[in-house]
Amino acid sequence: MSNSTHSRRGLMLVISSPSGAGKTTLSRMLMDKYEDVRLSVSATTRDPRPGEEEGVHYQFVDHSTFETMIEKRAFLEWAKVFDHFYGTPRKAVEERLEDGKDVIFDVDWQGADAIHDQMPNDVVSVFVLPPSIDALQKRLEARPGSDPEKVERRMAGARNEIRHWRRYDYAIVNEDIEVAFKELEGILTTERQKRLRQLRLEPLVQALLDEG
Ligand code: 5GP
């Protein structure tokens, strides 16, 4: 940490919520406003979908490459979801933090736990809650391509995700997206001021003391 030439160490903003509560919108709003905040790019063994770009949406790798990456401990966390493997590469994250830039992780509570275990001092975790079950259901019903069965499945998943809200440093109730965004911004700017993240302070304080 101390030999970095940057004025601050970046942070890892881990955002979780049940689907439909707004974490993706909030993450996007944060990236639109702050150019030094970017999503972590995962590696996956699945094929790219139309419009997906290598290195932007995912790092697309084959099975044996993924297995080698597991063996070399290249992932902060990884999981098998349906038939494919997904993982968060460690090196890219560490480089960004050392470069004084922040990384967002849009992950569920298990991913959040695993990332926290690996880099506890760098993680700031935020749970986004819906204002009510009704509001959540309405948001899920309004999604393009939604059907009653899908909504029912997501509602069950939502309750399961919400149960883990106590594991997070911060919680935001997303009743009004603009208010929720202001609260998220407040968390980001406050956490950036944490003494241990402000690498430029050591030489500054030393200079202040030397001048006396
Ligand atoms: P999709 O294939 O639709 O892009 O993603 C499928 C699922 O994999 C989603 O639930 C997504 O959150 C999850 N996923 C994507 N990247 C990662 C990752 O790096 N780690 C874990 N644990 N899950 C991921």
Side-chain angles (χ1 to χ4, degrees):
M1 243 194 216
S2 56
N3 60 5
S4 168
T5 53
H6 290 273
S7 64
R8 70 177 181 94
R9 177 168 171 86
L11 55 83
M12 296 162 75
L13 192 62
V14 173
I15 308 184
S16 303
S17 78
S19 84
K23 74 177 163 175
T24 307
T25 307
L26 287 167
S27 305
R28 211 169 39 227
M29 288 168 85
L30 213 53
M31 287 188 280
D32 284 348
K33 182 153 176 186
Y34 296 88
E35 64 177 25
D36 45 3
V37 177
R38 287 291 166 261
L39 266 179
S40 156
V41 179
S42 297
T44 182
T45 56
R46 80 153 164 75
D47 291 332
R49 295 188 188 126
E52 284 185 338
E53 280 177 54
E54 164 69 26
V56 176
H57 298 91
Y58 283 106
Q59 184 187 337
F60 297 97
V61 299
D62 61 28
H63 232 94
S64 75
T65 306
F66 198 97
E67 269 167 15
T68 308
M69 290 173 86
I70 294 174
E71 280 162 23
K72 291 192 167 163
R73 307 180 58 78
F75 294 119
L76 282 176
E77 62 82 43
W78 62 271
K80 190 175 183 197
V81 184
F82 301 112
D83 291 333
H84 302 290
F85 289 90
Y86 296 84
T88 306
R90 183 192 301 271
K91 193 156 170 270
V93 173
E94 280 182 349
E95 283 171 359
R96 265 195 81 80
L97 301 185
E98 279 180 19
D99 212 16
K101 298 191 170 123
D102 308 311
V103 190
I104 302 190
F105 298 83
D106 177 339
V107 292
D108 67 7
W109 71 269
Q110 281 164 311
D113 254 15
I115 292 168
H116 183 266
D117 279 354
Q118 295 284 315
M119 298 175 79
N121 297 331
D122 292 304
V123 167
V124 176
S125 61
V126 182
F127 198 89
V128 182
L129 286 160
S132 68
I133 274 294
D134 265 9
L136 185 67
Q137 182 148 355
K138 287 207 175 82
R139 282 182 203 163
L140 290 176
E141 283 166 357
R143 285 195 165 179
S146 99
D147 61 54
E149 197 187 307
K150 232 184 241 173
V151 170
E152 196 41 57
R153 213 170 41 227
R154 293 225 153 150
M155 289 299 289
R159 287 193 172 88
N160 189 35
E161 189 71 18
I162 289 169
R163 278 190 194 102
H164 301 280
W165 75 287
R166 285 192 186 83
R167 295 169 184 260
Y168 291 75
D169 299 320
Y170 297 92
I172 291 176
V173 178
N174 180 16
E175 180 146 28
D176 174 316
I177 192 77
E178 294 301 333
V179 174
F181 178 60
K182 282 261 174 295
E183 290 170 354
L184 185 59
E185 263 191 297
I187 294 167
L188 177 70
T189 51
T190 303
E191 286 286 345
R192 282 177 171 182
Q193 292 301 118
K194 274 253 170 93
R195 181 172 52 77
L196 286 175
R197 296 200 171 103
Q198 296 202 64
L199 306 175
R200 72 195 152 103
L201 292 191
E202 282 296 337
L204 169 68
V205 172
Q206 204 52 55
L208 291 171
L209 293 174
D210 288 348
E211 273 165 33

